[in-house]
């Protein structure tokens, strides 16, 4: 059986050890001969890499391992690039969140002005990695979950239309885990779903079990009372701020009880609530730096000091096994049905053909084949048209280096009350992003 070679781009990510452990746990389904890490921050990556090298030596000593900041070394001889980079790191995420909040606007990693700011940084970083892959391993596929996935996907559609890149998000997967629990099923894979929208901006229109029984009524009843809050055993999405997000789905569902919402819609539909409940001095970036980042790097340092994983509390990121499902679908033509971010191309009949939408696709060795959705209702369509225009304008602004278009993008975001506020936020964002954004004219 063929064994695969992969490179994890963003080797220094807080998610890397959990993903490596997940890959090792799935070797029977997806055999690996080589794992490489690539990052542009050597010091950050080294801590994670030295610990992962020890983990690999203990658990799978036949897998070759290498961590590098040299693109040629990292991207040569790979079958898959698993990409989770964060251009500007948490220092910039913190500013993306705090600057809009200072102006009374939602401060969020991927939604509103914060997401736009992050998008302007990510586009270049992702294009660069894609170019390395194409130069050094032209047959490889890039599985991208770097954010903001909606903007990154639109940028690669525009600038690299023939590239082998698949954009995927774990939020629907996480929510479906909660839904399965509500429906009394063992796994989200026991459900067949219909879903439509944009990334971090969508709805489930149908959920059945494998026999075709409708699960929507039971899930709806729960969500109208508790949102998606349930007791599930998971490591991601467990902080109190995430519980609040899961609960808030209750109010989103009230707006249209026929469609179960993605949790991220709260930032667009209840921005006033979000701003009121935000601490301008301590945002999610601070929570993550004080929580996940300290924990993961702390544990890695312990592994390095001891030279062994004994007593190590790093855990398998089981929920990330969707990455293996995706790699398997491509490698073994499994035709698994997965939600991916793809060009609409008529799948949603009454929506922009060129919009990057998140919909179910059958995935095989030629890539994704989108499932036909048909027409969507006016309310969701209206919201999506506004948001997809924001995403398209950001990409146009990046390509054309246009201040005007970026100002339009921020103005058009449903999270922003006026063109004046949009301009004030934009001017502040430009100040702090000089190192990362193209210089705007
Ligand atoms: P992190 O800051 O811990 O890790 C990101 C790494 O990327 C850092 O080590 C950084 O040095 C590196 N990096 C930055 N720019 C780079 C470049 N141009 N080339 C190579 N490496 C670069 O961040 P994290 O919290 O672990 O998240 C990583 C990414 O995964 C983020 O984009 C996050 O939004 C994303 N994410 C996506 C999903 C999803 O559903 N799609 C889920 C979780 C996380
Ligand atoms: C979800 C989203 C990701 C996002 C993450 C943020 O998983 O799907 O796109 O990056 O949440 O989590 P964090 O713990 O970093 O706030
Ligand atoms: Mn996501």
């Amino acid at each position: 059986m063929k064994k695969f070679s992969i490179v994890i781009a963003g080797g220094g990510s807080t998610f890397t050890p959990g993903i490596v452990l997940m890959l090792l746990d799935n070797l029977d389904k997806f055999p690996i001969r080589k794992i490489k890490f690539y990052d542009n921050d050597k010091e950050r990556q080294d801590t994670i890499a030295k610990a992962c090298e020890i983990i690999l030596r203990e658990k799978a000593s036949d897998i070759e391992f290498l961590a590098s900041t040299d693109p040629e070394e990292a991207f040569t001889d790979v079958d898959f690039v698993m990409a989770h980079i964060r251009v500007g790191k948490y220092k910039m995420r913190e500013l993306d969140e705090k600057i809009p909040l200072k102006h009374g606007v939602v401060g969020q990693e991927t939604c509103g002005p914060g997401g736009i700011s992050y998008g302007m940084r990510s586009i270049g970083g992702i294009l660069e990695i894609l170019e390395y892959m194409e130069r050094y391993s032209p047959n490889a596929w890039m599985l991208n979950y770097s954010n903001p996935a909606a903007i990154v996907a639109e940028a690669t559609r525009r600038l690299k239309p023939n590239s082998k890149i698949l954009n995927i998000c774990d939020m629907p997967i996480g929510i479906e885990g909660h839904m399965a629990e509500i429906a009394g099923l063992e796994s989200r894979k026991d459900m067949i779903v219909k879903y439509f929208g944009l990334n971090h901006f969508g709805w489930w229109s149908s959920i059945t079990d494998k026999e075709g029984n409708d699960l929507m009524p039971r899930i709806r009843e729960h969500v109208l009372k508790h949102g998606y809050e349930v007791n599930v055993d998971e490591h991601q999405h467990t902080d109190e701020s995430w519980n609040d997000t899961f609960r808030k789905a209750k109010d989103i569902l009230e707006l249209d009880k026929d469609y179960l919402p993605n949790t991220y819609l709260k930032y667009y539909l209840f921005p006033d609530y979000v701003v009121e409940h935000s601490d301008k001095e301590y945002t999610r970036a601070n929570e993550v730096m004080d929580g996940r980042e300290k924990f993961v790097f702390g544990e890695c340092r312990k592994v390095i000091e001891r030279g062994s994983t004994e007593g190590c509390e790093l855990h398998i990121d089981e929920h990330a096994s969707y990455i293996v499902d995706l790699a398997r679908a491509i490698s073994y033509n499994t035709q698994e049905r997965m939600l991916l971010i793809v060009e609409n191309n008529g799948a949603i009949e009454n929506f922009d053909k060129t919009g990057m939408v998140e919909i179910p696709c059958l995935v095989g060795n030629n890539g994704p084949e989108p499932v036909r959705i048909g027409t969507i209702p006016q309310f969701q369509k209206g919201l999506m048209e506004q948001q997809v225009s924001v995403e398209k304008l950001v990409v146009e602004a990046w390509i054309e280096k246009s201040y005007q278009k970026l100002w339009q993008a921020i103005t058009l975001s449903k999270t922003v009350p006026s063109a004046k506020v949009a301009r004030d936020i934009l001017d502040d964002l430009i100040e702090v992003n000089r190192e990362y954004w193209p210089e705007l004219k």
Side-chain angles (χ1 to χ4, degrees), residues 238-262:
T238 49
D239 290 340
E240 182 43 36
S241 54
W242 269 106
N243 291 335
D244 180 67
T245 293
F246 281 122
R247 278 194 296 269
K248 193 67 185 167
K250 170 183 184 296
D251 298 339
I252 310 174
L253 181 57
E254 290 280 357
L255 258 160
D256 185 342
K257 293 184 183 151
D258 290 335
Y259 297 89
L260 287 163
N262 191 304

PDB file of all heavy atoms in Angstrom, residues 238-262:
ATOM      1  N   THR A 238     -14.226  24.641  23.914  1.00  0.00           N
ATOM      2  CA  THR A 238     -14.713  24.304  25.254  1.00  0.00           C
ATOM      3  C   THR A 238     -14.688  25.487  26.221  1.00  0.00           C
ATOM      4  O   THR A 238     -15.314  25.420  27.268  1.00  0.00           O
ATOM      5  CB  THR A 238     -13.861  23.173  25.873  1.00  0.00           C
ATOM      6  OG1 THR A 238     -12.496  23.524  25.710  1.00  0.00           O
ATOM      7  CG2 THR A 238     -14.143  21.844  25.203  1.00  0.00           C
ATOM      8  N   ASP A 239     -13.979  26.578  25.888  1.00  0.00           N
ATOM      9  CA  ASP A 239     -13.950  27.722  26.802  1.00  0.00           C
ATOM     10  C   ASP A 239     -15.347  28.311  26.934  1.00  0.00           C
ATOM     11  O   ASP A 239     -16.194  28.146  26.072  1.00  0.00           O
ATOM     12  CB  ASP A 239     -12.992  28.806  26.261  1.00  0.00           C
ATOM     13  CG  ASP A 239     -11.536  28.361  26.344  1.00  0.00           C
ATOM     14  OD1 ASP A 239     -11.250  27.441  27.139  1.00  0.00           O
ATOM     15  OD2 ASP A 239     -10.714  28.911  25.601  1.00  0.00           O
ATOM     16  N   GLU A 240     -15.561  29.062  28.019  1.00  0.00           N
ATOM     17  CA  GLU A 240     -16.884  29.636  28.280  1.00  0.00           C
ATOM     18  C   GLU A 240     -17.339  30.539  27.113  1.00  0.00           C
ATOM     19  O   GLU A 240     -18.515  30.566  26.771  1.00  0.00           O
ATOM     20  CB  GLU A 240     -16.878  30.389  29.618  1.00  0.00           C
ATOM     21  CG  GLU A 240     -18.204  31.016  30.058  1.00  0.00           C
ATOM     22  CD  GLU A 240     -19.458  30.140  29.856  1.00  0.00           C
ATOM     23  OE1 GLU A 240     -19.370  28.904  30.029  1.00  0.00           O
ATOM     24  OE2 GLU A 240     -20.529  30.702  29.509  1.00  0.00           O
ATOM     25  N   SER A 241     -16.409  31.241  26.486  1.00  0.00           N
ATOM     26  CA  SER A 241     -16.826  32.110  25.371  1.00  0.00           C
ATOM     27  C   SER A 241     -17.420  31.265  24.237  1.00  0.00           C
ATOM     28  O   SER A 241     -18.338  31.702  23.544  1.00  0.00           O
ATOM     29  CB  SER A 241     -15.643  32.940  24.864  1.00  0.00           C
ATOM     30  OG  SER A 241     -14.549  32.111  24.537  1.00  0.00           O
ATOM     31  N   TRP A 242     -16.911  30.051  24.049  1.00  0.00           N
ATOM     32  CA  TRP A 242     -17.482  29.176  23.022  1.00  0.00           C
ATOM     33  C   TRP A 242     -18.860  28.661  23.446  1.00  0.00           C
ATOM     34  O   TRP A 242     -19.764  28.550  22.621  1.00  0.00           O
ATOM     35  CB  TRP A 242     -16.551  27.999  22.700  1.00  0.00           C
ATOM     36  CG  TRP A 242     -15.609  28.335  21.581  1.00  0.00           C
ATOM     37  CD1 TRP A 242     -14.275  28.602  21.698  1.00  0.00           C
ATOM     38  CD2 TRP A 242     -15.937  28.480  20.198  1.00  0.00           C
ATOM     39  NE1 TRP A 242     -13.758  28.898  20.455  1.00  0.00           N
ATOM     40  CE2 TRP A 242     -14.761  28.829  19.521  1.00  0.00           C
ATOM     41  CE3 TRP A 242     -17.115  28.360  19.463  1.00  0.00           C
ATOM     42  CZ2 TRP A 242     -14.709  29.049  18.152  1.00  0.00           C
ATOM     43  CZ3 TRP A 242     -17.076  28.577  18.092  1.00  0.00           C
ATOM     44  CH2 TRP A 242     -15.888  28.919  17.460  1.00  0.00           C
ATOM     45  N   ASN A 243     -19.016  28.357  24.743  1.00  0.00           N
ATOM     46  CA  ASN A 243     -20.344  27.919  25.217  1.00  0.00           C
ATOM     47  C   ASN A 243     -21.375  28.990  24.943  1.00  0.00           C
ATOM     48  O   ASN A 243     -22.499  28.710  24.538  1.00  0.00           O
ATOM     49  CB  ASN A 243     -20.310  27.608  26.720  1.00  0.00           C
ATOM     50  CG  ASN A 243     -19.487  26.370  27.004  1.00  0.00           C
ATOM     51  OD1 ASN A 243     -19.345  25.517  26.126  1.00  0.00           O
ATOM     52  ND2 ASN A 243     -18.939  26.279  28.199  1.00  0.00           N
ATOM     53  N   ASP A 244     -20.991  30.234  25.164  1.00  0.00           N
ATOM     54  CA  ASP A 244     -21.905  31.342  24.917  1.00  0.00           C
ATOM     55  C   ASP A 244     -22.294  31.382  23.429  1.00  0.00           C
ATOM     56  O   ASP A 244     -23.456  31.579  23.087  1.00  0.00           O
ATOM     57  CB  ASP A 244     -21.239  32.660  25.338  1.00  0.00           C
ATOM     58  CG  ASP A 244     -22.151  33.849  25.090  1.00  0.00           C
ATOM     59  OD1 ASP A 244     -23.183  33.924  25.766  1.00  0.00           O
ATOM     60  OD2 ASP A 244     -21.868  34.646  24.169  1.00  0.00           O
ATOM     61  N   THR A 245     -21.300  31.158  22.571  1.00  0.00           N
ATOM     62  CA  THR A 245     -21.570  31.134  21.131  1.00  0.00           C
ATOM     63  C   THR A 245     -22.527  29.987  20.775  1.00  0.00           C
ATOM     64  O   THR A 245     -23.460  30.172  19.995  1.00  0.00           O
ATOM     65  CB  THR A 245     -20.242  31.000  20.357  1.00  0.00           C
ATOM     66  OG1 THR A 245     -19.498  32.204  20.567  1.00  0.00           O
ATOM     67  CG2 THR A 245     -20.458  30.804  18.871  1.00  0.00           C
ATOM     68  N   PHE A 246     -22.312  28.832  21.353  1.00  0.00           N
ATOM     69  CA  PHE A 246     -23.215  27.699  21.082  1.00  0.00           C
ATOM     70  C   PHE A 246     -24.629  28.008  21.579  1.00  0.00           C
ATOM     71  O   PHE A 246     -25.608  27.700  20.899  1.00  0.00           O
ATOM     72  CB  PHE A 246     -22.681  26.410  21.732  1.00  0.00           C
ATOM     73  CG  PHE A 246     -21.568  25.771  20.944  1.00  0.00           C
ATOM     74  CD1 PHE A 246     -20.324  25.537  21.501  1.00  0.00           C
ATOM     75  CD2 PHE A 246     -21.772  25.393  19.618  1.00  0.00           C
ATOM     76  CE1 PHE A 246     -19.300  24.958  20.765  1.00  0.00           C
ATOM     77  CE2 PHE A 246     -20.757  24.800  18.865  1.00  0.00           C
ATOM     78  CZ  PHE A 246     -19.522  24.587  19.441  1.00  0.00           C
ATOM     79  N   ARG A 247     -24.734  28.647  22.742  1.00  0.00           N
ATOM     80  CA  ARG A 247     -26.075  28.966  23.279  1.00  0.00           C
ATOM     81  C   ARG A 247     -26.804  29.976  22.413  1.00  0.00           C
ATOM     82  O   ARG A 247     -28.000  29.913  22.209  1.00  0.00           O
ATOM     83  CB  ARG A 247     -25.952  29.515  24.720  1.00  0.00           C
ATOM     84  CG  ARG A 247     -25.807  28.443  25.778  1.00  0.00           C
ATOM     85  CD  ARG A 247     -26.039  29.030  27.171  1.00  0.00           C
ATOM     86  NE  ARG A 247     -25.035  30.021  27.527  1.00  0.00           N
ATOM     87  CZ  ARG A 247     -23.892  29.732  28.166  1.00  0.00           C
ATOM     88  NH1 ARG A 247     -23.621  28.495  28.514  1.00  0.00           N
ATOM     89  NH2 ARG A 247     -23.010  30.676  28.449  1.00  0.00           N
ATOM     90  N   LYS A 248     -26.047  30.927  21.879  1.00  0.00           N
ATOM     91  CA  LYS A 248     -26.668  32.037  21.135  1.00  0.00           C
ATOM     92  C   LYS A 248     -27.387  31.549  19.871  1.00  0.00           C
ATOM     93  O   LYS A 248     -28.259  32.243  19.333  1.00  0.00           O
ATOM     94  CB  LYS A 248     -25.595  33.081  20.788  1.00  0.00           C
ATOM     95  CG  LYS A 248     -26.119  34.411  20.295  1.00  0.00           C
ATOM     96  CD  LYS A 248     -26.860  35.188  21.374  1.00  0.00           C
ATOM     97  CE  LYS A 248     -27.478  36.466  20.833  1.00  0.00           C
ATOM     98  NZ  LYS A 248     -28.446  37.049  21.787  1.00  0.00           N
ATOM     99  N   ALA A 249     -27.070  30.346  19.408  1.00  0.00           N
ATOM    100  CA  ALA A 249     -27.731  29.793  18.213  1.00  0.00           C
ATOM    101  C   ALA A 249     -29.246  29.747  18.407  1.00  0.00           C
ATOM    102  O   ALA A 249     -30.008  29.786  17.431  1.00  0.00           O
ATOM    103  CB  ALA A 249     -27.188  28.402  17.922  1.00  0.00           C
ATOM    104  N   LYS A 250     -29.665  29.680  19.658  1.00  0.00           N
ATOM    105  CA  LYS A 250     -31.098  29.710  20.004  1.00  0.00           C
ATOM    106  C   LYS A 250     -31.762  30.947  19.390  1.00  0.00           C
ATOM    107  O   LYS A 250     -32.798  30.857  18.729  1.00  0.00           O
ATOM    108  CB  LYS A 250     -31.165  29.758  21.534  1.00  0.00           C
ATOM    109  CG  LYS A 250     -32.479  30.024  22.178  1.00  0.00           C
ATOM    110  CD  LYS A 250     -32.234  30.087  23.707  1.00  0.00           C
ATOM    111  CE  LYS A 250     -33.500  30.263  24.508  1.00  0.00           C
ATOM    112  NZ  LYS A 250     -34.190  31.520  24.255  1.00  0.00           N
ATOM    113  N   ASP A 251     -31.163  32.112  19.595  1.00  0.00           N
ATOM    114  CA  ASP A 251     -31.758  33.365  19.097  1.00  0.00           C
ATOM    115  C   ASP A 251     -31.662  33.464  17.578  1.00  0.00           C
ATOM    116  O   ASP A 251     -32.523  34.064  16.935  1.00  0.00           O
ATOM    117  CB  ASP A 251     -31.060  34.580  19.733  1.00  0.00           C
ATOM    118  CG  ASP A 251     -31.245  34.594  21.240  1.00  0.00           C
ATOM    119  OD1 ASP A 251     -32.187  33.940  21.729  1.00  0.00           O
ATOM    120  OD2 ASP A 251     -30.441  35.257  21.937  1.00  0.00           O
ATOM    121  N   ILE A 252     -30.616  32.892  17.015  1.00  0.00           N
ATOM    122  CA  ILE A 252     -30.480  32.932  15.553  1.00  0.00           C
ATOM    123  C   ILE A 252     -31.582  32.079  14.923  1.00  0.00           C
ATOM    124  O   ILE A 252     -32.220  32.479  13.945  1.00  0.00           O
ATOM    125  CB  ILE A 252     -29.087  32.434  15.093  1.00  0.00           C
ATOM    126  CG1 ILE A 252     -27.961  33.141  15.859  1.00  0.00           C
ATOM    127  CG2 ILE A 252     -28.914  32.646  13.595  1.00  0.00           C
ATOM    128  CD1 ILE A 252     -26.561  32.591  15.569  1.00  0.00           C
ATOM    129  N   LEU A 253     -31.829  30.935  15.505  1.00  0.00           N
ATOM    130  CA  LEU A 253     -32.839  30.029  14.948  1.00  0.00           C
ATOM    131  C   LEU A 253     -34.238  30.648  14.981  1.00  0.00           C
ATOM    132  O   LEU A 253     -35.057  30.412  14.088  1.00  0.00           O
ATOM    133  CB  LEU A 253     -32.823  28.683  15.701  1.00  0.00           C
ATOM    134  CG  LEU A 253     -33.800  27.604  15.226  1.00  0.00           C
ATOM    135  CD1 LEU A 253     -33.599  27.276  13.740  1.00  0.00           C
ATOM    136  CD2 LEU A 253     -33.640  26.318  16.054  1.00  0.00           C
ATOM    137  N   GLU A 254     -34.497  31.475  16.004  1.00  0.00           N
ATOM    138  CA  GLU A 254     -35.809  32.144  16.108  1.00  0.00           C
ATOM    139  C   GLU A 254     -36.144  32.939  14.837  1.00  0.00           C
ATOM    140  O   GLU A 254     -37.295  33.083  14.466  1.00  0.00           O
ATOM    141  CB  GLU A 254     -35.820  33.128  17.298  1.00  0.00           C
ATOM    142  CG  GLU A 254     -35.811  32.483  18.663  1.00  0.00           C
ATOM    143  CD  GLU A 254     -37.182  31.991  19.107  1.00  0.00           C
ATOM    144  OE1 GLU A 254     -38.169  32.204  18.371  1.00  0.00           O
ATOM    145  OE2 GLU A 254     -37.237  31.364  20.186  1.00  0.00           O
ATOM    146  N   LEU A 255     -35.100  33.459  14.177  1.00  0.00           N
ATOM    147  CA  LEU A 255     -35.302  34.284  12.984  1.00  0.00           C
ATOM    148  C   LEU A 255     -35.868  33.500  11.812  1.00  0.00           C
ATOM    149  O   LEU A 255     -36.529  34.047  10.938  1.00  0.00           O
ATOM    150  CB  LEU A 255     -33.948  34.871  12.548  1.00  0.00           C
ATOM    151  CG  LEU A 255     -33.697  36.315  12.912  1.00  0.00           C
ATOM    152  CD1 LEU A 255     -32.205  36.585  12.863  1.00  0.00           C
ATOM    153  CD2 LEU A 255     -34.429  37.280  11.995  1.00  0.00           C
ATOM    154  N   ASP A 256     -35.530  32.224  11.763  1.00  0.00           N
ATOM    155  CA  ASP A 256     -36.055  31.352  10.701  1.00  0.00           C
ATOM    156  C   ASP A 256     -35.926  29.911  11.174  1.00  0.00           C
ATOM    157  O   ASP A 256     -34.835  29.335  11.129  1.00  0.00           O
ATOM    158  CB  ASP A 256     -35.265  31.557   9.397  1.00  0.00           C
ATOM    159  CG  ASP A 256     -35.894  30.748   8.263  1.00  0.00           C
ATOM    160  OD1 ASP A 256     -36.666  29.818   8.549  1.00  0.00           O
ATOM    161  OD2 ASP A 256     -35.590  31.057   7.091  1.00  0.00           O
ATOM    162  N   LYS A 257     -37.048  29.382  11.636  1.00  0.00           N
ATOM    163  CA  LYS A 257     -36.985  28.072  12.310  1.00  0.00           C
ATOM    164  C   LYS A 257     -36.781  26.904  11.351  1.00  0.00           C
ATOM    165  O   LYS A 257     -36.577  25.777  11.779  1.00  0.00           O
ATOM    166  CB  LYS A 257     -38.246  27.871  13.148  1.00  0.00           C
ATOM    167  CG  LYS A 257     -38.299  28.851  14.306  1.00  0.00           C
ATOM    168  CD  LYS A 257     -39.487  28.631  15.216  1.00  0.00           C
ATOM    169  CE  LYS A 257     -39.471  29.708  16.290  1.00  0.00           C
ATOM    170  NZ  LYS A 257     -40.764  30.054  16.796  1.00  0.00           N
ATOM    171  N   ASP A 258     -36.813  27.169  10.062  1.00  0.00           N
ATOM    172  CA  ASP A 258     -36.635  26.075   9.094  1.00  0.00           C
ATOM    173  C   ASP A 258     -35.175  25.740   8.844  1.00  0.00           C
ATOM    174  O   ASP A 258     -34.870  24.711   8.237  1.00  0.00           O
ATOM    175  CB  ASP A 258     -37.279  26.445   7.748  1.00  0.00           C
ATOM    176  CG  ASP A 258     -38.796  26.467   7.865  1.00  0.00           C
ATOM    177  OD1 ASP A 258     -39.322  25.764   8.753  1.00  0.00           O
ATOM    178  OD2 ASP A 258     -39.436  27.204   7.089  1.00  0.00           O
ATOM    179  N   TYR A 259     -34.286  26.618   9.243  1.00  0.00           N
ATOM    180  CA  TYR A 259     -32.872  26.425   8.896  1.00  0.00           C
ATOM    181  C   TYR A 259     -32.000  26.498  10.148  1.00  0.00           C
ATOM    182  O   TYR A 259     -32.011  27.509  10.837  1.00  0.00           O
ATOM    183  CB  TYR A 259     -32.426  27.478   7.879  1.00  0.00           C
ATOM    184  CG  TYR A 259     -33.189  27.348   6.585  1.00  0.00           C
ATOM    185  CD1 TYR A 259     -34.395  28.024   6.392  1.00  0.00           C
ATOM    186  CD2 TYR A 259     -32.737  26.503   5.574  1.00  0.00           C
ATOM    187  CE1 TYR A 259     -35.125  27.869   5.224  1.00  0.00           C
ATOM    188  CE2 TYR A 259     -33.451  26.348   4.401  1.00  0.00           C
ATOM    189  CZ  TYR A 259     -34.646  27.022   4.223  1.00  0.00           C
ATOM    190  OH  TYR A 259     -35.363  26.863   3.070  1.00  0.00           O
ATOM    191  N   LEU A 260     -31.260  25.450  10.414  1.00  0.00           N
ATOM    192  CA  LEU A 260     -30.384  25.446  11.589  1.00  0.00           C
ATOM    193  C   LEU A 260     -29.108  26.225  11.257  1.00  0.00           C
ATOM    194  O   LEU A 260     -28.409  25.912  10.290  1.00  0.00           O
ATOM    195  CB  LEU A 260     -30.063  24.009  11.989  1.00  0.00           C
ATOM    196  CG  LEU A 260     -31.254  23.280  12.652  1.00  0.00           C
ATOM    197  CD1 LEU A 260     -31.028  21.771  12.645  1.00  0.00           C
ATOM    198  CD2 LEU A 260     -31.475  23.769  14.069  1.00  0.00           C
ATOM    199  N   PRO A 261     -28.814  27.246  12.055  1.00  0.00           N
ATOM    200  CA  PRO A 261     -27.729  28.179  11.687  1.00  0.00           C
ATOM    201  C   PRO A 261     -26.334  27.753  12.126  1.00  0.00           C
ATOM    202  O   PRO A 261     -26.167  27.078  13.132  1.00  0.00           O
ATOM    203  CB  PRO A 261     -28.125  29.442  12.462  1.00  0.00           C
ATOM    204  CG  PRO A 261     -28.781  28.918  13.700  1.00  0.00           C
ATOM    205  CD  PRO A 261     -29.512  27.658  13.287  1.00  0.00           C
ATOM    206  N   ASN A 262     -25.347  28.206  11.385  1.00  0.00           N
ATOM    207  CA  ASN A 262     -23.955  28.155  11.836  1.00  0.00           C
ATOM    208  C   ASN A 262     -23.815  29.184  12.966  1.00  0.00           C
ATOM    209  O   ASN A 262     -24.381  30.277  12.900  1.00  0.00           O
ATOM    210  CB  ASN A 262     -23.020  28.525  10.672  1.00  0.00           C
ATOM    211  CG  ASN A 262     -21.561  28.229  10.990  1.00  0.00           C
ATOM    212  OD1 ASN A 262     -21.014  28.706  11.976  1.00  0.00           O
ATOM    213  ND2 ASN A 262     -20.920  27.448  10.141  1.00  0.00           N
TER     214      ASN A 262
END
